[in-house]
Each structure stands twice: as structure tokens, then as C-alpha cells.
Amino acid sequence: GLEFVEDGTLMGVAMEHPNGGPALALRLDPDRAAAAAGFDYFAIGVPSTADLEALAARLTGLGERHSGIHRTKRGWIVAHVADRDGHELRFYTSDHPRPDPIR
């Protein structure tokens, strides 16, 4: 990873997952973070429904509040996960559900 230090203070980091995916950079700005509490900055893709189930179980095991897994028109989602600043995180998978049979 990469660290951003300003006047001797760590103000941010940038990182990449060793298995690939997009790079992520985070910056320390408590005033802006507090002002944006409740906003959902991130919708994070998860490779499969099984991975989403594992993530939901992990969140539950850590005592983190979340919506559980819900089906959407495009796949499945776990929402209402809050970071330490109160921003909502959503995790989704683009596994497409099988269409309901026509009756």
C-alpha cells in the first residue's frame, strides 16, 4: 500500500487486493465524514451468492448490524451495514436469479 503523510501526520492510505480488483484510497477528514453520515458512498461487488452468504455470516459474527441477504431484480444484496462514521455500505452480487416460471 501507499501512505499519504502531511506535516508528519498520516492522512490517508491507498491499497490494492493481491487477487486483483479496483484500487482503494481512503483519506482522513473527520469533519466531512461527520457531515456525510448516513450517505451510501459504496456499493461493493461480491463474486457469488455463496461469498455474499459468507460475508453476511461474518458480519453477524462480528456483531455488525445488516439487512441480511435480499433478492433484487439483478441479484442479491446485503445492505444497511454502517462504517465507523455512519456511512452505509452495500454489498451485492450480480449472480442473476432464475426467472420465476410463467403461470
Side-chain angles (χ1 to χ4, degrees):
L2 178 66
E3 294 182 346
F4 305 105
V5 178
E6 297 172 8
D7 297 324
T9 301
L10 179 63
M11 296 300 293
V13 296
M15 60 194 113
E16 294 182 43
H17 193 281
N19 293 337
L24 177 65
L26 303 171
R27 181 156 180 75
L28 179 64
D29 192 332
D31 294 335
R32 284 188 182 162
F39 187 74
D40 59 338
Y41 280 106
F42 299 105
I44 302 168
V46 177
S48 70
T49 305
D51 292 316
L52 196 64
E53 290 169 351
L55 173 64
R58 175 82 171 133
L59 290 169
T60 298
L62 291 170
E64 297 291 339
R65 182 183 67 86
H66 62 88
S67 67
I69 298 174
H70 296 278
R71 182 176 172 175
T72 70
K73 291 181 181 180
R74 304 253 328 139
W76 287 266
I77 187 169
V78 171
H80 305 298
V81 180
D83 71 7
R84 303 250 185 250
D85 294 315
H87 304 113
E88 183 178 336
L89 306 173
R90 290 175 287 128
F91 298 90
Y92 68 93
T93 179
S94 57
D95 287 359
H96 295 284
R98 298 179 67 177
D100 292 328
I102 299 173
R103 297 182 193 259

